[in-house]
C-alpha cells in the first residue's frame, strides 16, 4: 500500500495558493498509485497563522476552502490536510474557539478530524492562545485494512522514557499504541534549530522501537518572518531504523510503501538518491539563512533588495546570502563611505 509525503512550503493566510499546492501533490500521488497523501501541520493556512486565527472571517474562509478542496481532489486517494477546526462547544463550555487539526479528505468529503492534543506554549510557540486541546487520540482505517493513528507535531514529543519525565499529562502516541494501530503519521511544523534534525530523529526512532510501530513524519519547509522550517521529513520502520529522508530546506515529495504482510514500512533504495547530505553546521546554517531571506522577500511581494555595504565581512556575508537567495540581478549594493572609510573598504 503506497503512501505519499508532501513536504510543503505554504504561505501564511494564502488559502487559495496553499490549497492548490495540496491539490497538485494529491494529483501527483494519485498518478503514482498512492492510497494516501500526508501533508504538513496547518498546510492549508500556513504555520504559524497567529492572529489571523482570531478573525471569524478567516476561520469561515478556511472551512469553505477545505470543503472545496475535498471536492477537487482525485477521488481515488485519501488526503490528510493540516487545518483549523471549529470548536462547537466553545460558546457553552468555554475554552478556545478552534482546534489545530488534521482533516481526512476522501471521496469528495471531509470524512474525519483529528485534533492536536499537546499545545506547545514556550520559546517561539504560543498555541494555548489560539487553540483548544484535543481530548483523545484517534485513527482511521485505510482501504479497510490499515489502522493509521494521527498525531500533530508536539503530540510525538512526550515520551517519558526518552525525556526522563513527562512534559504533559498525556502521551498521545501511547494512547494510539493501546488502540493497536498499524502505523502512526505525524503532521508537523517544527522550526529549525542547529542540530535539531538529529534530535528529532533520535526521538522518533526511540518511539517507533519502543512501541514497535512505524512512523511517517511530514514537516513543513520554508521561511515565515522570524521562523525557518527545514523540512527533512522522514520515515522510521518499527525497528527504529530510518528508511526515508526528504530534502532539507526544499519542498519535496516522496512515496513509501506499507507492507501489509510484515505490517511495516518498506525502504526504497532509489528514494534518497537526489538528497545532498549536509556536511557540517556551517552549511546547514547557510542553507537556513538563504531560505529565510528568499521566502521573506518573495512572500512579502518584494522583487529586489538594496544593501548598504561597508566593505567589512559582516555586510559582505549579508550580500552573499542575498545574492544566493535572490540572484545577483536582484541585489543592489550601495557604498556609503565616510571620511573614516579605508581604501580597502572602498
Amino acid at each position: 500500500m503506497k503512501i505519499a509525503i508532501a513536504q510543503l512550503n505554504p504561505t501564511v493566510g494564502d488559502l487559495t495558493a496553499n490549497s492548490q499546492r495540496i491539490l497538485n501533490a494529491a494529483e501527483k500521488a494519485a498518478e503514482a498509485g498512492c492510497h494516501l497523501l500526508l501533508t504538513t501541520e496547518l498546510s492549508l493556512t500556513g504555520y504559524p497563522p497567529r492572529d489571523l486565527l482570531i478573525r471569524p472571517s478567516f476561520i469561515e474562509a478556511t472551512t469553505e476552502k477545505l470543503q472545496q478542496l475535498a471536492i477537487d481532489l482525485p477521488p481515488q486517494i485519501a488526503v490528510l490536510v493540516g487545518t483549523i477546526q471549529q470548536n462547537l462547544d466553545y460558546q457553552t463550555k468555554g475554552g478556545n474557539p478552534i482546534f489545530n487539526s488534521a482533516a481526512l479528505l476522501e471521496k469528495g468529503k471531509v470524512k474525519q478530524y483529528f485534533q492536536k492534543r499537546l499545545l506547545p506554549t514556550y520559546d517561539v510557540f504560543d498555541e494555548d492562545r489560539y487553540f483548544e486541546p484535543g481530548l483523545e487520540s484517534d485513527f482511521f482505517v485505510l482501504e479497510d485494512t490499515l489502522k493509521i493513528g494521527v498525531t500533530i507535531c508536539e503530540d510525538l514529543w512526550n515520551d517519558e522514557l526518552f525525556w526522563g519525565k513527562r512534559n504533559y499529562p498525556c502521551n498521545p502516541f501511547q494512547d494510539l499504541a493501546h488502540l493497536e494501530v498499524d502505523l502512526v503519521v505525524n503532521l508537523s511544523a517544527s522550526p529549525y534549530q542547529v542540530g535539531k534534525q538529529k534530535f528529532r530523529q533520535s526521538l522518533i526512532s526511540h518511539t517507533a522501537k519502543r512501541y514497535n510501530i512505524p512512523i511517517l513524519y511530514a514537516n513543513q519547509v520554508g521561511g515565515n518572518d522570524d521562523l525557518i522550517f527545514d523540512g527533512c521529513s522522514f520515515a522510521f520502520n518499527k525497528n527504529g531504523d530510518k528508511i526515508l529522508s526528504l530534502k532539507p530546506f526544499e519542498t519535496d515529495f516522496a512515496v513509501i510503501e506499507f507492507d501489509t504482510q510484515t505490517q511495516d514500512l518498506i525502504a526504497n533504495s532509489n528514494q534518497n538518491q537526489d538528497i545532498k547530505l549536509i556536511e557540517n553546521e556551517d552549511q546547514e546554517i547557510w542553507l537556513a539563512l538563504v531560505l529565510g531571506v528568499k521566502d521573506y522577500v518573495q512572500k512579502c511581494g518584494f522583487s529586489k533588495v538594496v544593501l548598504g555595504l561597508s566593505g567589512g565581512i559582516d555586510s559582505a556575508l549579508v550580500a552573499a546570502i542575498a545574492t544566493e537567495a535572490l540572484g545577483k540581478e536582484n541585489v543592489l549594493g550601495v557604498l556609503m563611505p565616510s571620511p573614516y572609510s579605508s581604501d580597502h573598504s572602498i
Side-chain angles (χ1 to χ4, degrees):
M1 192 174 298
K2 291 183 178 180
I3 301 173
I5 294 178
Q7 183 171 284
L8 301 174
N9 183 350
T11 297
V12 171
D14 193 347
L15 300 174
T16 298
N18 295 340
S19 177
Q20 187 62 49
R21 292 182 179 98
I22 296 168
L23 179 58
N24 292 343
E27 291 173 344
K28 186 175 181 179
E31 289 175 5
C34 295
H35 298 85
L36 175 68
L37 172 68
L38 177 63
T39 70
T40 56
E41 180 179 10
L42 292 182
S43 52
L44 185 56
T45 63
Y47 186 94
R50 292 183 171 141
D51 281 3
L52 284 173
L53 298 174
I54 65 177
R55 298 185 182 182
S57 60
F58 183 74
I59 297 173
E60 182 179 347
T62 303
T63 302
E64 292 175 357
K65 185 62 71 173
L66 182 72
Q67 293 169 344
Q68 184 60 50
L69 178 60
I71 295 170
D72 295 339
L73 289 171
Q76 68 270 38
I77 190 171
V79 182
L80 278 171
V81 175
T83 186
I84 55 178
Q85 174 195 1
Q86 290 180 295
N87 176 11
L88 300 180
D89 294 329
Y90 163 62
Q91 291 185 334
T92 57
K93 296 183 179 180
N96 283 319
I98 54 173
F99 297 101
N100 180 342
S101 295
L104 177 65
L105 310 186
E106 190 176 16
K107 294 181 173 59
K109 296 181 179 180
V110 181
K111 284 290 188 70
Q112 195 172 348
Y113 282 102
F114 308 86
Q115 289 103 26
K116 186 174 184 178
R117 299 184 65 189
L118 308 184
L119 303 178
T121 304
Y122 57 85
D123 195 27
V124 300
F125 303 104
D126 195 18
E127 294 199 17
D128 269 341
R129 172 183 171 89
Y130 305 104
F131 299 115
E132 183 71 9
L135 297 179
E136 59 183 12
S137 300
D138 206 354
F139 65 90
F140 67 99
V141 180
L142 185 66
E143 298 294 314
D144 297 322
T145 57
L146 184 59
K147 289 177 66 174
I148 300 178
V150 180
T151 59
I152 301 175
C153 204
E154 192 87 352
D155 290 346
L156 279 184
W157 290 67
N158 196 33
D159 189 300
E160 69 279 1
L161 294 186
F162 182 85
W163 295 98
K165 65 181 181 70
R166 276 201 177 182
N167 299 308
Y168 301 88
C170 67
N171 182 348
F173 197 99
Q174 188 174 67
D175 291 348
L176 289 171
H178 290 158
L179 293 173
E180 299 182 340
V181 299
D182 303 310
L183 170 69
V184 170
V185 297
N186 184 268
L187 292 72
S188 194
S190 179
Y192 166 74
Q193 285 178 258
V194 177
K196 189 174 184 180
Q197 176 65 352
K198 291 181 180 179
F199 186 83
R200 283 192 204 114
Q201 292 187 2
S202 176
L203 169 64
I204 304 307
S205 174
H206 163 89
T207 303
K209 189 173 182 179
R210 175 185 177 185
Y211 294 100
N212 199 38
I213 298 174
I215 300 172
L216 271 179
Y217 175 93
N219 190 34
Q220 177 175 290
V221 68
N224 289 329
D225 290 344
D226 55 320
L227 297 179
I228 298 169
F229 299 86
D230 54 318
C232 294
S233 305
F234 51 74
F236 278 82
N237 65 19
K238 60 185 179 182
N239 294 322
D241 302 318
K242 185 176 69 171
I243 58 172
L244 176 69
S245 294
L246 276 68
K247 295 177 182 177
F249 304 105
E250 295 181 38
T251 56
D252 203 4
F253 176 91
V255 176
I256 195 166
E257 190 162 347
F258 186 91
D259 188 331
T260 55
Q261 298 298 318
T262 62
Q263 293 290 288
D264 206 356
L265 294 169
I266 304 173
N268 184 341
S269 58
N270 298 322
Q271 193 75 250
N272 296 329
Q273 289 183 349
D274 295 333
I275 303 243
K276 296 179 181 178
L277 296 178
I278 294 177
E279 298 176 0
N280 51 54
E281 286 187 353
D282 286 341
Q283 184 187 12
E284 181 182 291
I285 295 168
W286 168 265
L287 292 172
L289 292 172
V290 168
L291 176 61
V293 170
K294 181 179 181 179
D295 274 3
Y296 181 79
V297 170
Q298 292 183 351
K299 290 179 180 181
C300 289
F302 306 153
S303 58
K304 297 178 182 291
V305 298
V306 178
L307 302 175
L309 304 180
S310 68
I313 193 168
D314 293 343
S315 61
L317 176 60
V318 171
I321 292 169
T323 300
E324 179 74 13
L326 308 172
K328 63 181 182 180
E329 68 278 6
N330 294 315
V331 181
L332 176 63
V334 177
L335 176 65
M336 297 182 291
S338 77
Y340 308 104
S341 297
S342 67
D343 292 339
H344 172 77
S345 291
I346 294 173

